[in-house]
Amino acid sequence: MNRIEEHLSKLKAQGRKAFIPYIMAGYPDVKTTEKVFSMLQDVGADVVELGVPFTDPLADGPVIQEAASVALKNGLTLKRVLSLLKSLRRSYSLPVVLMTYYNPVYKYGLSRFFRDASKAGVDGLIVPDLPPDEADELIEYSRKYRMATIFLAAPTSTDDRIRLVTERSTGFVYYVSITGITGSKIQITREMEKMIKKIKSYTEVPVCVGFGVKKPQEAKRIAEIADGVIVGSSIVKQMTGDLRKLRKYLRELRKAI
Amino acid sequence: MKKNKKGYFGQYGGRYVPETLIPALEELEREFRRLWKDREFKATFRALLKDYVGRPTPLYYASRLSEHLGGARIYLKREDLTHTGAHKINNALGQALLAKAMGKKRLIAETGAGQHGVATATGAAMVGLECEIYMGAEDVRRQALNVFRMQLLGARVTEVNAGSRTLKDAINEALRDWTTNVRNTHYVLGTVFGPHPYPTIVREFQSVIGKEARRQILKAERRLPDYLIACVGGGSNAMGLFSGFLKDEDVKMIGVEAGGKGIRSGLHAARFAGGSVGVFQGCRSYLLQDRNGNVLGTHSVSAGLDYASVGPEHAYLHDIKRVRYTYATDREALRAFEVLSKTEGIIPALESAHAVAEAIKLAPRLKKSAIIIVNLSGRGDKDVPQVARMKGYNVKL
């Protein structure tokens, strides 16, 4: 079992839900990333999703697009994200999932990437443009290095797709709350509840929900029907402002989940 | 073409998109397979190609150009004479019919030069669907006339200000829209690129070019050509022409990419000359990228070739050496633009001028009995204001 599986199954046994914040590495600068990372540990985040900037983030809305473009200007290549994480690992032990588009990993070379990512303390991967059908090689390496492969399920997913996604996901299944991109407006509906139930009927792996979660009230309602809540754009949006306000917001989210 | 794995050409292709879109791609694949065999659908498509698009397009012997160059006999496949002025209409119309048959209410598309946007807006108007076109802000500026043309056809044109503000950013935005509105919207991808099944669907809709050209050259010359030349942005006009001759081993094929200001300058869109294998916007192919896997900016005088990657089937044909890929620089393309205008009275699109530029290089080195077919994929009216500006004329548009 890796760190994510261990931690999430402990939560499950205690009947608690996971709070999974997303931050973009190097946005607005490396110093802030380090500060916020420590803040996330303080407020009791369960898993951190660390975003790797990419020139063409086609699953992301304007907030994360902008953050990626700033982070790239700051020189945050995949290699630098890994070394940033490696240095954070000296002080923090919470599980980290890398959220990256596929091309930087592909260009890095899978064998070299897994070796370096494992040394840096990456516990799992979310690659939004790599559906499980195309992920044979990535899965093989992930198993070898005991990293979680977190695939996405969507409101449009058919039964066959749900079966494939759940079979190949370890750590957790990422349920995309809406048909849309990150930072869109979430709608917590009966349909969503039904989909989560359906996905859970296929797997023991926890199901966490993201895309568009903003208000603590929304996080609370999702935590009632899923195993965890992922919050991205609305955290990233506040990273350029007063970090005390961000800390307060993170505490509220933690409390709600 | 040979496929190892579903949706692959050799190691190229695939379906690298977010999960939300996978069911839509599966549906599209299923429906295309069904309708492409359906007699009624094919008859409708064929009739529209004839009566609406104006097919077959002529295969024209360019005698003055051939004499001027003093070598091979050059034929032009006149896709510039189609309705809306470029080969793009073949695919846009096919996909509009497909979307209608699938019960979709809305079409979206990306566009670079504006030709595919115009073609999609035309298709949408003809079958009666809503239409929204994404276009990079830089291209909106370069191709103002086509923006107005799309609006005239009832489409909404959305300017994309992200990234490099060109074709690739328009595709990102179209994919985001599709992800959001996938239930009622069909994405009319304009070239043999993107996630499976698009490279195959677009090739099939464009294959009419090669089928006609093969028949026409056999009639005119009683033999097959020695060379085919086509420009390659994403590569749909080239795939359309080449697909009719792939089994004819003696027919050599040349794909011409945008050399921009030269490969060393870094300002170009020559993916085979200057790129490496990557995964981008839905498929694995050659890609202009830095060593960290971020996508590089591109440059070409022609908006339609100004793109960082290339169709996966081209990547495969490149590796097996069935097609030779080269490039023409901005300067060479502009010269070809003028040469064809003056020798034949045909103003080519700047994209197609890249193919003409290669013919200008190649023809004088061949025997007079040799035959070249150049795919004249589009007409140059849209480029006249830009070329005028570059030459210092003050044309207001």
Side-chain angles (χ1 to χ4, degrees):
Chain A
M1 243 199 249
N2 79 5
R3 212 164 356 193
I4 297 172
E5 291 169 299
E6 220 168 276
H7 186 73
L8 294 188
S9 62
K10 199 171 77 193
L11 282 187
K12 203 168 191 177
Q14 296 166 345
R16 290 164 56 213
K17 302 299 168 82
F19 170 38
I20 308 178
Y22 168 99
I23 56 174
M24 170 67 76
Y27 177 77
D29 48 51
V30 170
K31 213 167 206 165
T32 310
T33 306
E34 288 168 343
K35 262 191 224 159
V36 175
F37 197 92
S38 108
M39 204 187 277
L40 294 176
Q41 170 124 338
D42 287 351
V43 303
D46 294 295
V47 176
V48 175
E49 240 185 69
L50 189 63
V52 178
F54 180 53
T55 39
D56 296 85
L58 57 83
D60 286 303
V63 172
I64 293 178
Q65 284 176 48
E66 174 59 20
S69 130
V70 170
L72 284 172
K73 281 193 193 114
N74 291 335
L76 269 284
T77 59
L78 176 55
K79 198 172 172 176
R80 279 205 53 201
V81 174
L82 292 179
S83 68
L84 169 64
L85 177 60
K86 202 169 177 178
S87 76
L88 288 167
R89 273 279 172 249
R90 288 189 210 118
S91 330
Y92 309 103
S93 62
L94 78 173
V96 172
V97 171
L98 220 54
M99 174 124 172
T100 176
Y101 287 85
Y102 190 48
N103 197 53
V105 173
Y106 181 79
K107 185 72 180 167
Y108 203 101
L110 261 69
S111 134
R112 193 162 77 98
F113 167 76
F114 274 92
R115 192 193 62 204
D116 293 358
S118 164
K119 277 187 200 152
V122 173
D123 301 296
L125 294 169
I126 301 173
V127 188
D129 59 346
L130 188 73
D133 330 38
E134 302 286 1
D136 290 354
E137 218 185 335
L138 185 110
I139 290 172
E140 204 176 296
Y141 277 108
S142 298
R143 300 293 178 264
K144 186 173 154 201
Y145 284 92
R146 297 172 44 165
M147 273 183 220
T149 50
I150 295 145
F151 291 104
L152 278 59
T156 50
S157 296
T158 55
D159 289 3
D160 286 347
R161 297 299 308 171
I162 293 172
R163 187 174 303 118
L164 185 68
V165 165
T166 50
E167 266 171 20
R168 301 199 147 194
S169 291
T170 54
F172 62 90
V173 173
Y174 191 136
Y175 181 64
V176 175
S177 67
I178 38 150
T179 55
I181 52 181
T182 58
S184 309
K185 198 169 164 32
I186 197 169
Q187 282 164 338
I188 303 168
T189 57
R190 291 279 308 159
E191 189 198 359
M192 176 169 148
E193 196 175 341
K194 271 208 261 181
M195 270 305 269
I196 294 167
K197 269 199 187 131
K198 188 188 225 173
I199 297 166
K200 287 170 89 55
S201 75
Y202 279 87
T203 182
E204 293 291 308
V205 174
V207 178
C208 302
V209 177
F211 277 41
V213 187
K214 187 177 169 192
K215 297 181 189 137
Q217 189 54 31
E218 292 162 347
K220 186 179 159 74
R221 286 189 54 202
I222 291 167
E224 284 161 10
I225 51 180
D227 299 306
V229 185
I230 302 152
V231 186
S233 297
S234 71
I235 291 175
V236 172
K237 217 181 209 165
Q238 294 185 48
M239 300 223 359
T240 48
D242 183 349
L243 290 185
R244 280 171 303 186
K245 272 193 195 152
L246 175 61
R247 181 185 288 268
K248 186 165 166 269
Y249 174 61
L250 293 169
R251 281 197 192 287
E252 282 167 11
L253 283 172
R254 171 71 279 186
K255 224 178 116 197
I257 300 166
Chain B
M1 265 292 88
K2 190 187 128 206
K3 289 182 189 181
N4 299 348
K5 196 177 144 188
K6 196 173 150 219
Y8 276 82
F9 307 91
Q11 64 155 318
Y12 304 106
R15 193 176 264 170
Y16 296 84
V17 291
E19 185 61 34
T20 310
L21 292 179
I22 301 277
L25 291 166
E26 287 177 341
E27 181 198 6
L28 181 60
E29 184 182 3
R30 212 165 42 235
E31 287 299 295
F32 174 74
R33 272 181 205 289
R34 184 175 70 78
L35 290 166
W36 202 229
K37 277 187 282 193
D38 183 84
R39 208 180 275 174
E40 203 179 322
F41 181 86
K42 283 198 102 161
T44 307
F45 184 51
R46 214 172 293 137
L48 284 171
L49 285 182
K50 176 169 167 283
D51 301 330
Y52 187 74
V53 176
R55 302 205 72 94
T57 58
L59 183 72
Y60 166 73
Y61 172 53
S63 62
R64 293 241 312 139
L65 176 67
S66 303
E67 276 161 34
H68 171 76
L69 296 172
R73 297 165 64 78
I74 299 173
Y75 282 83
L76 304 174
K77 180 59 175 161
R78 298 292 308 274
E79 292 301 297
D80 61 318
L81 293 178
T82 55
H83 179 46
T84 74
H87 73 290
K88 293 289 185 190
I89 190 73
N90 303 327
N91 167 54
L93 198 60
Q95 288 199 45
L97 290 174
L98 192 58
K100 184 91 176 175
M102 287 165 67
K104 303 287 179 182
K105 300 275 175 271
R106 178 172 173 265
L107 299 181
I108 56 169
E110 82 293 344
T111 196
Q115 292 305 101
H116 175 57
V118 168
T120 304
T122 301
M126 215 233 18
V127 303
L129 295 172
E130 264 180 71
C131 183
E132 182 161 0
I133 306 293
Y134 290 93
M135 190 169 185
E138 175 68 13
D139 293 333
V140 166
R141 189 185 61 74
R142 287 195 278 196
Q143 301 287 349
L145 192 59
N146 269 343
V147 174
F148 181 66
R149 202 170 270 150
M150 288 182 265
Q151 288 165 346
L152 207 54
L153 291 161
R156 190 166 131 191
V157 180
T158 301
E159 192 173 311
V160 179
N161 276 296
S164 61
R165 303 172 181 189
T166 59
L167 182 57
K168 83 174 171 78
D169 311 287
I171 294 178
N172 286 336
E173 214 48 43
L175 283 167
R176 289 179 187 123
D177 179 317
W178 200 30
T179 307
T180 308
N181 302 299
V182 61
R183 288 187 172 106
N184 68 8
T185 298
H186 173 68
Y187 178 20
V188 184
L189 217 152
T191 190
V192 287
F193 193 72
H196 176 65
Y198 281 108
T200 301
I201 290 184
V202 178
R203 182 198 62 209
E204 289 303 302
F205 283 140
Q206 294 292 2
S207 64
V208 64
I209 303 173
K211 282 182 192 140
E212 285 176 10
R214 195 170 188 285
R215 203 165 55 228
Q216 288 165 323
I217 197 70
L218 285 173
K219 192 165 178 224
E221 293 276 353
R222 290 168 199 279
R223 73 174 183 91
L224 291 169
D226 299 287
Y227 286 92
L228 305 177
I229 303 177
C231 65
V232 181
S236 70
N237 88 78
M239 246 7 272
L241 178 66
F242 294 171
S243 61
F245 298 85
L246 282 171
K247 286 180 193 148
D248 304 311
E249 286 175 15
D250 293 333
V251 179
K252 300 181 201 60
M253 302 179 189
I254 304 174
V256 187
E257 300 185 281
K261 296 188 191 256
I263 304 304
R264 272 196 214 151
S265 71
L267 300 169
H268 62 85
R271 291 70 44 105
F272 291 115
S276 56
V277 178
V279 175
F280 183 56
Q281 291 183 334
C283 63
R284 182 189 301 184
S285 184
Y286 281 77
L287 173 66
L288 291 172
Q289 55 183 329
D290 65 18
R291 62 197 172 87
N292 298 302
N294 282 301
V295 179
L296 290 170
T298 52
H299 165 84
S300 170
V301 67
S302 128
L305 303 182
D306 198 352
Y307 183 59
S309 189
V310 60
E313 192 166 3
H314 283 291
Y316 174 69
L317 293 172
H318 169 269
D319 283 12
I320 64 166
K321 298 191 162 61
R322 179 64 185 92
V323 178
R324 182 166 74 82
Y325 292 86
T326 181
Y327 57 87
T329 62
D330 287 355
R331 191 191 293 252
E332 289 166 336
L334 285 163
R335 184 165 162 261
F337 181 84
E338 292 191 22
V339 168
L340 192 67
S341 300
K342 293 208 167 81
T343 58
E344 294 291 349
I346 297 170
I347 302 173
L350 280 175
E351 291 76 19
S352 320
H354 284 70
V356 177
E358 176 60 20
I360 290 175
K361 286 183 221 171
L362 178 67
R365 293 192 269 125
L366 301 177
K367 282 187 288 196
K368 295 213 171 190
S369 59
I371 300 169
I372 299 175
I373 296 179
V374 174
N375 201 8
L376 205 70
S377 55
R379 58 192 287 163
D381 303 47
K382 69 181 174 59
D383 298 312
V384 170
Q386 187 195 349
V387 174
R389 269 198 304 274
M390 293 172 78
K391 291 178 75 78
Y393 288 85
N394 186 15
V395 182
K396 284 234 165 83
L397 244 179

